[in-house]
């Protein structure tokens, strides 16, 4: 199973990082962790180096004392002055009001919450240092809840860092922990000097200099260069991070190249008969598109090798990925091995099951079926089929990776809608091969892995970021599809939409209506699926209108789904459970309610449920602005993109533009470490540098390379392999 080494702490934060000295005293029993320590660990700040690499979000300037008369409205200021007046006001709301004069002007300090200690420090006549956001109030200038202390004392020589933190981790504690981590961490160079100025837009400073500076910049720095991360110190950090990412990907690729997988070279012993693949092709009711043929050939080449395949098959919704997967499965089974296909939802898994059984069973292939909702008896039968090897193909949900599932000889793992799975789940599926004892030689055996997705990663991003992934792309839709017309319609025009539904129903077509929420929970104003279902049922009397949402029992979901798939049900109101992969070619209208609340790729996926047959299809994006006069900019950009293009790759590109690559990747690769500092679009030059350097480092400086990856990714590097 999974074996992720937890990084051994360089200097364990055994007790409080502030509490130096206590560490090591208690040998027998580790002292209990304080809440702040736990919060540190939750942020991933375990080692000294993790703390040193925890960089400020922004800075505060406490290095200067300003004159009140010079302070601008809204500015964050620090000034010193004398307390002239102090009173507790009890009119309207109890509050402490203190007037301070710095010689140039006066300022009112307002405290809505306060303790006796406040009054004591801020007593009349005292000289105090005050920090806060100054406002021109009703009766003159004021600061609400300023920080304050007695005047005097040294001013810091550097800007004060403000770190990203979480609940239970006070900024002051974090600051000290980072400071002590920074002082202890090993910051020795891992990048050989000759590479540091190679092809760089500007020479890079040392890691130590960069970190010292970023944690405590001198006050004369141009703040803009810190904010846009163009400062040489930032450049160094981003270069480091990108190098770590490239190194670990390349390492993973090399590790994989050293692993063995069964070479699926063709039928075991079938004499002159055609291969299963050929038989399957013959039975298909359609011809493969050129793209399907090309991609199929790419996969075939991989499967014939004794190195595990690691391939992402991306293709727009409806591009026909399933048949490509079926052909790969047929090749695997033909060679005498088992294939597993895992899908994220039961509905989708069942749809695959139906389709693949239809294709493969006539060829004599036994298919097993695994889901969470299965009856024990059926489950037991399936497990037996899988363990004996009788089942050539196993289709299911997450149930496929449960411990109890033993394959006889798994050689190909296919993951549909792979972005819906976490890295750990992918790893678990790959590890399923090692249950087998007869065919295993030593360690190092892995099944071939085929991942499928309809939310493509833009090519440049895939090539540069996922160095350990081969990508096949279905860039052509099967013939005979008519493009989907997309319209953005205000919620106020619902009646027109319902009239349109009536028209479609009269023509024997089917309609999806998707709503974002199931019940009135988070926000009352969202019309929910249940309500919409009732409203539509009332507006379209005598017609069968189904309701599907994730909280329904599985059996009920299945019943509704099969009525819709079978064509008896004209309209299906649903939450986003239908998002992935559902295939009902007769459906020609997709209505998405509160379209402004959905992400772009999700909208595109939903739209892909229609336009699967020959009939002209449409997608209506119903939006509502709520109380706002108009839609927000991001929402408008999304809806506009939907109207303007049907092309999944273009959608992905726009999505990237709207959201930025960090979030873009984050949404898809749950679990994979994201880039914290670098930005793949703006730091293309640094990325190119890192990509060129990574193989050199691995070949010539493997120890440095290893230290570098460990420093940056710690125990997380293992995850990158998935
Ligand atoms: P997706 O790539 O979104 O998973 P599917 O595999 O579900 O798409 O295919 C969508 C529909 O297109 C299915 O009904 C499938 O049978 C059909 N299909 C696939 N390939 C072809 C083809 N070459 N010609 C015609 N129809 C095809
Ligand atoms: Mg699919």
């Amino acid at each position: 199973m999974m074996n992720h080494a937890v990084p051994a702490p360089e200097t364990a934060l055994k007790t409080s990082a502030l509490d130096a000295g206590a560490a090591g005293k208690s040998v027998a029993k580790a002292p209990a962790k304080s809440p702040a320590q736990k919060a540190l660990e939750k942020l991933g700040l375990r080692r000294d180096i993790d703390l040193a690499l925890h960089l400020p979000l922004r800075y505060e300037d406490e290095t200067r004392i300003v004159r009140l008369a010079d302070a601008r409205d809204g500015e964050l200021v620090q000034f010193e002055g004398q307390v002239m007046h102090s009173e507790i006001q009890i009119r309207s709301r109890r509050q402490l009001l203190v007037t301070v004069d710095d010689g140039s002007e006066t300022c009112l300090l307002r405290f809505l919450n306060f303790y006796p200690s406040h009054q004591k420090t801020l007593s009349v006549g005292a000289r105090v240092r005050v920090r806060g956001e100054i406002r021109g109030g009703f009766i003159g200038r004021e600061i609400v809840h300023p920080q304050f202390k007695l005047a005097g004392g040294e001013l810091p020589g550097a800007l004060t860092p403000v770190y990203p933190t979480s609940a239970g981790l006070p900024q002051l504690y974090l600051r000290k922990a980072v400071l002590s981590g920074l002082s202890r961490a090993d910051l020795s160079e891992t990048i050989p000097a000759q590479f540091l100025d190679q092809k760089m837009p500007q020479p890079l400073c040392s890691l130590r200099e960069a970190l010292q500076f970023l944690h405590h910049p001198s006050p004369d720095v141009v703040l803009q260069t810190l904010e846009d991360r163009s400062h040489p110190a930032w450049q160094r950090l981003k270069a480091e991070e990108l190098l770590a990412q490239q190194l670990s990907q390349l390492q993973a690729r090399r590790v994989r190249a050293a692993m063995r997988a069964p070479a699926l070279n063709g039928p075991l012993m079938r004499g002159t008969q055609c291969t299963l693949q050929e038989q399957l092709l013959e039975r298909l009711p359609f011809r493969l598109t050129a793209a399907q043929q090309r991609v199929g050939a790419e996969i075939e080449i991989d499967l014939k090798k004794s190195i595990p395949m690691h391939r992402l098959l991306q293709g727009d919704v409806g591009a026909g990925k399933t048949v490509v997967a079926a052909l790969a499965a047929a090749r695997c089974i033909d060679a005498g091995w088992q294939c597993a296909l895992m899908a994220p939802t039961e509905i989708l898994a069942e749809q695959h099951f139906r389709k693949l059984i239809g294709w493969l069973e006539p060829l004599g292939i036994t298919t097993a079926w695994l889901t969470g909702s299965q009856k024990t008896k059926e489950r037991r039968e399936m497990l037996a089929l899988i363990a004996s090897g009788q089942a050539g193909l196993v289709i299911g949900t997450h149930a496929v990776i449960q411990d109890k599932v033993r394959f006889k000889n798994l050689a190909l793992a296919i993951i549909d809608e792979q972005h819906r799975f976490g890295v750990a789940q992918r790893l678990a599926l790959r590890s399923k091969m090692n249950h087998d004892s007869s065919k295993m030689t030593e360690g190092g055996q892995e099944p071939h892995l085929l991942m499928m997705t309809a939310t493509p990663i833009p090519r440049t991003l895939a090539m540069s970021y996922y160095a350990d992934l081969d990508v096949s792309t279905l860039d052509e839709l099967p013939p005979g599809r008519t493009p989907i017309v997309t319209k953005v319609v205000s919620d106020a025009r619902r009646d027109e939409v319902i009239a349109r539904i009536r028209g479609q129903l009269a023509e024997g077509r089917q309609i999806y209506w998707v709503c974002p929420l199931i019940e009135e929970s988070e926000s009352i104003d969202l019309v929910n699926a249940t309500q919409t279902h009732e409203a539509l049922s009332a507006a379209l009397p005598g017609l069968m209108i189904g309701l599907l949402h994730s909280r329904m029992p599985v059996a009920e979901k299945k019943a509704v789904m099969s009525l819709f798939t079978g064509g008896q049900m004209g309209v299906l109101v649903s939450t986003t459970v239908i998002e992935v992969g559902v295939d009902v070619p007769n459906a020609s209208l997709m209505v998405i309610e509160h379209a402004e609340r959905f992400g772009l790729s999700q909208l595109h996926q939903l739209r892909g449920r229609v336009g699967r047959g020959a009939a002209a299809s449409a997608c209506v994006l119903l939006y509502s602005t709520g109380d706002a006069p108009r839609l927000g900019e991001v929402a408008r950009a999304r809806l506009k993109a939907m109207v303007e293009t049907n092309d999944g790759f273009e959608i992905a590109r726009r999505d990237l533009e709207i959201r930025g690559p960090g979030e873009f990747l984050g949404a898809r690769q749950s679990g994979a470490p994201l880039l914290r500092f670098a930005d793949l679009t703006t730091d293309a030059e640094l990325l190119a540098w890192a990509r060129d350097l990574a193989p050199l480092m691995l070949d010539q400086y493997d120890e440095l390379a290893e230290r570098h990856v460990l420093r940056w990714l710690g125990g997380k590097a293992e995850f990158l392999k998935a």
Side-chain angles (χ1 to χ4, degrees):
M1 276 297 295
M2 288 182 294
N3 178 25
H4 312 303
V6 174
E10 283 171 25
T11 312
L13 284 164
K14 282 197 191 105
T15 54
S16 148
L18 309 176
D19 220 339
K25 269 183 195 163
S26 52
V27 180
K29 208 174 86 194
K33 286 178 189 148
S34 71
Q37 272 175 281
K38 283 189 198 146
L40 272 184
E41 289 193 9
K42 237 185 170 163
L43 284 179
L45 306 177
R46 294 160 192 274
R47 309 170 301 167
D48 288 333
I49 188 69
D50 298 330
L51 287 161
L53 294 176
H54 192 64
L55 292 181
L57 274 179
R58 59 186 176 84
Y59 303 92
E60 282 177 3
D61 190 353
E62 297 179 22
T63 63
R64 291 177 305 147
I65 302 283
V66 299
R67 266 164 37 99
L68 274 174
D70 298 336
R72 274 165 302 152
D73 195 25
E75 200 178 358
L76 184 72
V77 297
Q78 173 168 265
F79 68 93
E80 285 187 357
Q82 189 159 26
V83 177
M84 309 304 289
H85 185 79
S86 168
E87 68 169 315
I88 293 177
Q89 194 190 68
I90 35 183
R91 246 182 308 136
S92 64
R93 178 175 177 174
R94 196 177 127 89
Q95 46 188 293
L96 173 63
L97 300 175
V98 177
T99 310
V100 179
D101 186 339
D102 82 337
S104 74
E105 213 169 80
T106 63
C107 180
L108 179 72
L109 314 183
R110 189 187 293 274
F111 298 91
L112 302 172
N113 301 305
F114 58 95
Y115 299 101
S117 61
H118 280 61
Q119 276 173 284
K120 206 170 151 209
T121 311
L122 297 168
S123 57
V124 174
R127 278 196 61 78
V128 288
R129 184 181 293 171
V130 181
R131 277 173 51 74
E133 197 179 295
I134 196 155
R135 292 272 172 217
F138 180 58
I139 36 165
R141 301 193 129 188
E142 72 170 60
I143 303 180
V144 180
H145 283 183
Q147 295 174 346
F148 61 91
K149 58 181 176 185
L150 286 177
E154 239 179 88
L155 288 169
L159 299 180
T160 309
V162 179
Y163 293 103
T165 186
S166 64
L169 188 57
Q171 193 60 232
L172 214 57
Y173 181 97
L174 183 55
R175 234 173 244 169
K176 287 182 183 167
V178 168
L179 196 65
S180 82
L182 183 63
S183 70
R184 281 193 307 251
D186 167 19
L187 300 179
S188 57
E189 286 293 318
T190 45
I191 306 177
Q194 71 268 30
F195 298 128
L196 280 177
D197 44 23
Q198 241 182 29
K199 294 194 202 157
M200 276 295 178
Q202 50 188 332
L204 295 180
C205 53
S206 77
L207 177 64
R208 180 179 302 277
E209 282 165 355
L211 285 176
Q212 299 282 11
F213 180 83
L214 290 177
H215 285 293
H216 306 287
S218 57
D220 54 8
V221 65
V222 183
L223 273 177
Q224 182 62 31
T225 64
L226 293 183
E227 271 155 30
D228 66 14
R229 300 186 173 180
S230 62
H231 191 278
W234 266 118
Q235 294 288 314
R236 169 68 203 240
L237 267 277
K238 292 195 284 190
E240 286 253 327
E241 179 181 44
L242 287 166
L243 179 61
Q245 185 268 331
Q246 291 292 312
L247 280 173
S248 72
Q249 290 274 313
L250 199 60
Q251 255 172 350
R253 190 180 197 97
R254 291 186 179 186
V255 166
R256 191 161 52 79
M259 301 276 271
R260 310 266 32 88
L264 304 175
N265 264 320
L268 277 182
M269 31 182 174
R270 195 180 303 266
T272 52
Q273 249 189 318
C274 348
T275 63
L276 278 179
Q277 259 180 314
E278 286 161 350
Q279 295 176 46
L280 172 55
L281 278 175
E282 229 156 72
R283 293 188 54 88
L284 286 178
F286 48 75
R287 285 168 54 90
L288 294 187
T289 63
Q292 284 169 325
Q293 285 176 20
R294 189 191 67 241
V295 162
E298 285 166 6
I299 293 170
E300 192 168 315
I301 289 171
D302 280 0
L303 292 181
K304 283 183 183 166
K305 292 185 189 155
S306 53
I307 300 167
M309 171 171 78
H310 203 215
R311 190 169 280 280
L312 179 69
L313 167 56
Q314 51 180 27
D316 210 343
V317 273
K321 295 182 288 293
T322 315
V323 70
V324 174
L327 286 165
R331 160 163 287 275
C332 169
I333 297 160
D334 213 10
W337 294 78
Q338 286 175 299
C339 171
L341 170 62
M342 182 161 77
T345 65
E346 192 145 324
I347 287 182
L348 191 54
E350 180 166 332
Q351 182 181 289
H352 281 318
F353 185 62
R354 289 234 181 89
K355 185 155 246 168
L356 293 183
I357 265 201
W359 284 340
L360 299 176
E361 235 169 29
L363 309 183
I365 297 173
T366 305
T367 304
W369 161 245
L370 284 175
T371 66
S373 68
Q374 211 157 26
K375 296 251 157 50
T376 320
K377 181 165 166 279
E378 192 190 19
R379 162 72 59 93
R380 225 181 283 130
E381 285 166 15
M382 292 298 166
L383 289 178
L385 281 179
I386 298 166
S388 70
Q390 211 177 323
L393 180 61
V394 180
I395 298 178
T397 57
H398 298 76
V400 171
I401 50 175
Q402 277 165 0
D403 271 349
K404 280 202 184 129
V405 184
R406 308 271 155 171
F407 287 83
K408 176 156 180 282
N409 58 356
L410 178 67
L412 173 61
I414 304 175
I415 303 182
D416 195 21
E417 308 291 344
Q418 69 96 23
H419 59 280
R420 288 297 192 92
F421 290 96
V423 175
Q425 291 163 327
R426 271 175 261 160
L427 275 174
L429 184 55
R430 286 161 62 193
S431 74
K432 280 290 174 197
M433 181 167 190
N434 299 331
H435 290 309
D436 171 41
S437 48
S438 62
K439 296 228 168 152
M440 280 260 306
T441 42
E442 302 142 30
Q445 276 267 38
E446 277 216 343
H448 297 285
L449 181 63
L450 178 64
M451 297 173 277
M452 305 199 285
T453 183
T455 43
I457 307 167
R459 188 149 193 88
T460 45
L461 207 55
M463 305 243 305
S464 52
Y465 193 75
Y466 295 104
D468 185 35
L469 198 62
D470 296 307
V471 180
S472 286
T473 304
L474 284 179
D475 50 6
E476 178 187 1
L477 292 181
R481 306 265 168 91
T482 44
I484 307 164
V485 176
T486 302
K487 290 231 161 67
V488 176
V489 177
S490 159
D491 196 44
R493 290 166 54 199
R494 253 173 125 79
D495 287 348
E496 293 169 40
V497 177
I498 292 175
R500 183 154 181 183
I501 290 180
R502 220 174 264 129
Q504 291 286 307
L505 287 172
E507 288 177 32
R509 300 277 158 211
Q510 288 169 280
I511 292 100
Y512 292 104
W513 183 302
V514 177
C515 310
L517 264 190
I518 307 168
E519 274 164 17
E520 292 179 1
S521 51
E522 281 135 83
S523 41
I524 311 284
D525 65 345
L526 271 182
V527 184
N528 58 61
T530 325
Q531 268 182 4
T532 300
H533 178 247
E534 277 166 22
L536 282 179
S537 303
L540 302 165
L543 293 165
M544 199 198 287
I545 301 191
L547 175 63
L548 191 68
H549 60 71
S550 57
R551 291 190 211 166
M552 275 162 52
V554 175
E556 220 174 292
K557 272 194 226 173
K558 279 190 189 161
V560 171
M561 215 44 225
S562 76
L563 281 173
F564 191 68
T565 316
Q568 297 99 309
M569 179 182 283
V571 184
L572 179 62
V573 177
S574 105
T575 58
T576 53
V577 288
I578 62 142
E579 178 192 346
V580 284
V582 176
D583 187 31
V584 179
N586 189 46
S588 60
L589 177 61
M590 163 67 68
V591 182
I592 304 177
E593 190 160 337
H594 280 291
E596 77 282 358
R597 314 227 170 188
F598 290 89
L600 188 48
S601 70
Q602 205 181 10
L603 287 174
H604 180 65
Q605 285 251 337
L606 287 168
R607 176 172 61 183
R609 295 310 114 221
V610 295
R612 300 187 152 232
S617 293
C619 173
V620 173
L621 303 173
L622 274 181
Y623 71 92
S624 141
T625 57
D627 295 333
R630 52 197 223 137
L631 278 180
E633 200 155 321
V634 173
R636 258 191 305 153
R638 280 195 226 115
L639 299 186
K640 185 162 172 280
M642 285 291 290
V643 171
E644 286 175 358
T645 180
N646 263 314
D647 174 352
F649 287 89
E650 177 61 15
I651 292 275
R653 204 186 56 71
R654 303 253 191 129
D655 204 13
L656 186 67
E657 236 169 55
I658 298 172
R659 292 201 285 162
E663 218 189 309
F664 184 87
L665 292 171
R668 278 155 187 72
Q669 298 300 107
S670 42
L674 296 179
L675 293 173
R676 285 191 281 161
F677 305 137
D679 176 322
L680 291 170
T681 36
T682 56
D683 298 319
E685 250 174 315
L686 290 174
L687 178 61
W689 169 84
R691 201 172 42 210
D692 290 347
L693 181 52
L696 288 176
M697 287 270 293
L698 280 186
D699 290 338
Q700 297 167 28
Y701 302 91
D702 57 333
E703 266 172 47
L704 287 177
E706 197 164 317
R707 258 177 54 207
H708 188 86
V709 171
L710 194 66
R711 171 180 284 170
W712 274 89
L713 300 172
K716 283 179 270 181
E718 179 76 17
F719 278 110
L720 279 169
K721 290 182 205 159

